[in-house]
């Protein structure tokens, strides 16, 4: 079977990532001035923590992504290890203070 895609790269192809990209752009990138690469990493880390652990998402039943992931991992019938894992075992989260 051959796959046919409508218009590659159009927003309609993946609405979830387009929504995320819009949120990142509107809430962080358009609002912040980055003084250095370290400053950008710190501010983006804070935004990412807020997005994943603090703010509920209506698409997840008003749960945070972290809560939704835990619920999925604990639910019956879910395959152990089915969710994506960090690629780098040496990853160290950046500090969360301004």
């Amino acid at each position: 079977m051959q796959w046919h895609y409508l218009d590659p790269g159009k927003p309609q192809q993946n609405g979830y990532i387009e929504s995320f990209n819009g949120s990142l752009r509107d809430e962080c990138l358009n609002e912040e001035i980055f003084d250095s690469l370290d400053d950008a990493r710190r501010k983006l880390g804070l935004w990412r923590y807020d997005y994943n652990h603090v703010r509920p998402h209506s698409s997840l039943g008003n749960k945070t992504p972290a809560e939704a992931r835990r619920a999925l991992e604990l639910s019956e019938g879910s395959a152990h290890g089915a969710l994506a894992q960090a690629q780098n075992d040496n990853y160290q989260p950046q500090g969360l203070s301004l």
Side-chain angles (χ1 to χ4, degrees):
M1 173 193 269
Q2 188 176 25
W3 287 91
H4 295 280
Y5 294 98
L6 297 175
D7 292 317
K10 296 287 184 182
Q12 299 83 353
Q13 292 274 299
N14 191 340
Y16 291 108
I17 195 63
E18 291 301 323
S19 176
F20 171 80
N21 287 344
S23 295
L24 174 62
R25 186 175 42 255
D26 293 342
E27 298 168 11
C28 186
L29 299 178
N30 290 344
E31 299 293 323
E32 297 288 346
I33 295 176
F34 304 114
D35 297 327
S36 66
L37 184 57
D38 285 338
D39 183 46
R41 286 179 177 146
R42 184 175 52 80
K43 288 176 179 174
L44 286 166
L46 288 169
W47 183 86
R48 185 177 60 229
Y49 181 84
D50 180 67
Y51 185 87
N52 287 322
H53 297 276
V54 177
R55 293 189 303 168
H57 297 249
S58 60
S59 64
L60 300 173
N62 290 320
K63 295 179 184 175
T64 67
E67 290 169 337
R69 180 184 178 117
R70 281 191 297 276
L72 180 62
E73 288 173 339
L74 296 174
S75 69
E76 289 185 6
S78 63
H80 177 68
L83 299 174
Q85 301 297 317
Q87 293 293 323
N88 183 355
D89 292 336
N90 298 324
Y91 173 75
Q92 297 293 320
Q94 302 295 317
L96 298 176
S97 61
L98 291 174

